[in-house]
Amino acid sequence: MTPTPRLTLALTTATLMLATNLYGAATANAADDPPGTEPSASAPVEVDSNDPDLKIPDGATLAQAKVLDIKSVVEEQSGDERREDTNTSVTLALQAEVLFGKDSAKLGSEAKSRIAGIAEEIKTQNATRVRVFGFTDNLGSSAHGDVLSKKRANAVQEVLVQTLNDSAITYEVRGYGEDYPIADNSTEAGRKKNRRVEVSFPRSEA
């Protein structure tokens, strides 16, 4: 009878199509999995807790525990002011546009009130060593940026001296120009953050 071979051929073709579809679906699903979810090539290495190489030799002691330096950075939504706290120091950064006119080291009307806020923080921390560092973006010559950043740092330091009126405080004032950017100089938003004056001082131990 002839119908039997045709039925067998039809069933075989259907089986191949079904297998192909299932394989294709499995392949597509595997490709859609996010990176890092693939099964590991081998099982994790077992660690023998009794291994003598993992034990402290007789007579040895562990080093005294200490807290690692933790850094906290808070920036105003406008980006005008940035505060960085660690276990040992405080750094306050003001964007140059808040303090000075374009390509100028002359303090603007809002500058003194901003610097007064920094002076209050210095008093709170009972700091006797204060660093005032100026920075610019990478536009213009490097030499011009070095000079401008130093002049701006000097201007901020002078207001701090007048406001704090404390002869026990020593100041370190430097202009770093375009060195040590904190943002991408290829965009204006980044360059704006890099044009800044930073005031840093030790945190009180109390």
Side-chain angles (χ1 to χ4, degrees):
M1 296 176 60
T2 55
T4 303
R6 290 181 182 177
L7 180 59
T8 303
L9 180 60
L11 288 173
T12 304
T13 304
T15 303
L16 287 172
M17 290 177 64
L18 179 60
T20 303
N21 289 338
L22 288 174
Y23 178 78
T27 303
N29 289 338
D32 291 340
D33 288 341
T37 60
E38 304 88 354
S40 58
S42 59
V45 178
E46 292 187 7
V47 177
D48 181 5
S49 59
N50 295 317
D51 189 330
D53 291 335
L54 298 178
K55 296 182 178 181
I56 300 176
D58 292 339
T61 58
L62 291 173
Q64 195 170 26
K66 67 176 182 178
V67 178
L68 296 176
D69 199 17
I70 301 172
K71 181 186 291 186
S72 167
V73 178
V74 178
E75 187 174 277
E76 285 186 0
Q77 189 171 7
S78 63
D80 291 348
E81 190 167 335
R82 182 174 181 270
R83 179 185 179 117
E84 183 179 299
D85 288 274
T86 70
N87 298 340
T88 57
S89 66
V90 178
T91 300
L92 298 170
L94 294 175
Q95 283 188 359
E97 280 82 347
V98 177
L99 302 174
F100 309 98
K102 185 177 180 180
D103 201 32
S104 170
K106 183 178 180 181
L107 291 167
S109 57
E110 189 184 346
K112 289 191 176 181
S113 62
R114 291 273 189 166
I115 298 171
I118 294 177
E120 284 301 314
E121 183 67 24
I122 293 172
K123 286 181 182 178
T124 299
Q125 300 297 339
N126 297 314
T128 56
R129 292 182 295 109
V130 177
R131 293 178 171 181
V132 186
F133 296 162
F135 304 87
T136 63
D137 58 30
N138 65 347
L139 298 181
S141 71
S142 177
H144 177 70
D146 291 344
V147 172
L148 180 62
S149 62
K150 178 64 184 308
K151 286 182 177 179
R152 286 176 168 177
N154 283 334
V156 171
Q157 185 251 352
E158 288 173 7
V159 176
L160 287 174
V161 170
Q162 295 169 6
T163 306
L164 291 167
N165 192 27
D166 187 344
S167 59
I169 298 177
T170 58
Y171 295 88
E172 180 182 352
V173 184
R174 295 184 182 181
Y176 284 105
E178 64 187 58
D179 294 340
Y180 309 108
I182 58 173
D184 187 357
N185 267 317
S186 66
T187 67
E188 176 53 28
R191 290 191 293 270
K192 186 177 180 182
K193 289 186 177 184
N194 292 333
R195 298 189 292 264
R196 69 198 189 279
V197 175
E198 292 184 356
V199 181
S200 58
F201 40 90
R203 176 179 293 284
S204 172
E205 295 181 0

